[in-house]
Amino acid sequence: MPVHETTPQAAAPVADPLVARGVRRRLGTLPVLDGIDLRIAHGEVVALVGPSGCGKSTLLEIVCGLQAPDAGELTAQAAALMPQRDLLLPWLDARDNVALPLRIAGAGRREARARAGELLERVDLGRFARSRPDALSGGMRQRVSFLRALATERELVCLDEPFGALDAITREELRTWLAQLLDARPRSVLLVTHDVEEAVLLGDRVVVLSPRPARVVATIPVADPRTAAGGTVARRDPADPAIVAARRAVHDALHAAIAAGREASAA
Ligand SMILES: Nc1ncnc2c1ncn2[C@@H]1O[C@H](COP(=O)(O)OP(=O)(O)OP(=O)(O)O)[C@@H](O)[C@H]1O
Ligand SMILES: [Mg+2]
């Protein structure tokens, strides 16, 4: 019997914010998720990597309650989602886009706008509060989308390829920016990325999925910089031997899973 429970944000944070056991999902006749087990602890960043089309976005939508699993169990706190496509509303300016989830959560217009304005100031977008999305650069739109996902202060945040369509430099800048946000205010994060380096630079743990129908084929721990003296996610060093080793392990697991998938479909 599939179960999807959400607990209110105010509840004492005792249980893990996300526990999934044996989650299965079909879309039409297509099996997409083949029994996913996944757990996220408080303040933990889990990076999810997997071949294109394997079911990552489907899994995030299930975690956020936008789709129900066909089988398995899912217990998740109410989660914020930054979807894969930039879904900023073109007719609203940046401030009203960020204010939208606050309004939906019940805040008054003035209060929501004031809070959205503060958030935009904090990421150096104060001058663009009244600009509509088509007047912003790709990196700015992405930051506005982030703020919209983070505005309601939910502890569990699902980010679906948040740096997807950006050039390499902007991608790196935004990755550092996100790491600093997480250092300043830890949250429990499920981060989908196709970039293995990004996965090990942001994730405390990397979960590797098989080709569709997705199963978890490997879980690779990355040394947690927050447990090291003075360590921060933002200062995680790509040349650190632990990071290099984790990156290689993720790369190898991903390629092994893709090769196994090809063999299975050729058989
Ligand atoms: N509404 C739908 N009906 C039928 N099939 C769908 C539907 N939505 C998605 N799919 C299919 O389900 C599979 C998984 O899609 P999903 O978007 O979850 O994968 P993904 O891992 O996020 O892909 P990507 O790496 O491209 O972001 C894909 O093959 C997709 O074509
Ligand atoms: Mg996707």
Side-chain angles (χ1 to χ4, degrees):
M1 181 65 189
V3 181
H4 188 281
E5 291 171 10
T6 54
T7 50
Q9 218 47 41
V14 180
D16 287 333
L18 171 68
V19 181
R21 283 197 204 94
V23 165
R24 290 174 185 276
R25 176 75 175 145
R26 273 174 182 274
L27 293 169
T29 56
L30 191 72
V32 174
L33 302 178
D34 188 22
I36 301 283
D37 295 318
L38 186 65
R39 183 181 286 269
I40 301 185
H42 286 283
E44 189 182 31
V45 179
V46 172
L48 192 63
V49 302
S52 183
C54 76
K56 303 178 293 293
S57 297
T58 304
L59 179 59
L60 258 59
E61 290 194 0
I62 288 174
V63 167
C64 294
L66 301 177
Q67 293 189 35
D70 295 325
E73 277 179 42
L74 184 82
T75 309
Q77 283 190 1
L81 173 66
M82 179 173 166
Q84 187 164 9
R85 283 173 301 133
D86 167 0
L87 292 179
L88 295 179
L89 300 178
W91 60 88
L92 293 183
D93 64 24
R95 188 179 57 176
D96 282 339
N97 264 291
V98 176
L100 189 64
L102 298 168
R103 296 276 288 140
I104 292 169
R109 180 189 293 248
R110 278 182 60 162
E111 183 196 343
R113 279 195 171 156
R115 175 84 187 119
E118 279 167 27
L119 288 170
L120 287 163
E121 292 283 349
R122 237 189 269 168
V123 301
D124 294 328
L125 285 177
R127 285 186 300 128
F128 297 94
R130 307 305 305 277
S131 303
R132 294 206 177 153
D134 63 2
L136 302 174
S137 71
M140 288 178 185
R141 275 202 300 276
Q142 217 82 354
R143 270 183 286 168
V144 173
S145 298
F146 263 112
L147 291 186
R148 198 172 61 173
L150 301 179
T152 47
E153 303 270 323
R154 288 188 168 168
E155 196 211 306
L156 179 59
V157 180
C158 294
L159 304 172
D160 198 349
E161 298 263 12
F163 314 115
L166 300 172
D167 63 88
I169 299 289
T170 311
R171 218 181 150 92
E172 207 176 306
E173 277 173 12
L174 274 192
R175 189 183 71 220
T176 305
W177 177 78
L178 175 62
Q180 287 165 346
L181 279 187
L182 294 174
D183 283 329
R185 156 99 162 72
R187 296 164 194 261
S188 311
V189 178
L190 184 54
L191 166 79
V192 170
T193 175
H194 62 257
D195 183 325
V196 173
E197 172 150 299
E198 199 166 280
V200 296
L201 286 176
L202 288 169
D204 298 320
R205 208 149 45 84
V206 182
V207 170
V208 181
L209 298 180
S210 69
R212 194 185 62 230
R215 289 177 296 111
V216 173
V217 290
T219 298
I220 289 135
V222 183
D224 183 353
R226 281 178 292 226
T227 60
T232 63
V233 181
R235 270 191 252 137
R236 215 178 266 189
D237 178 1
D240 178 328
I243 297 288
V244 173
R247 185 180 168 166
R248 187 168 303 135
V250 174
H251 178 275
D252 290 352
L254 191 54
H255 284 265
I258 292 170
R262 287 211 182 102
E263 269 173 37
S265 59

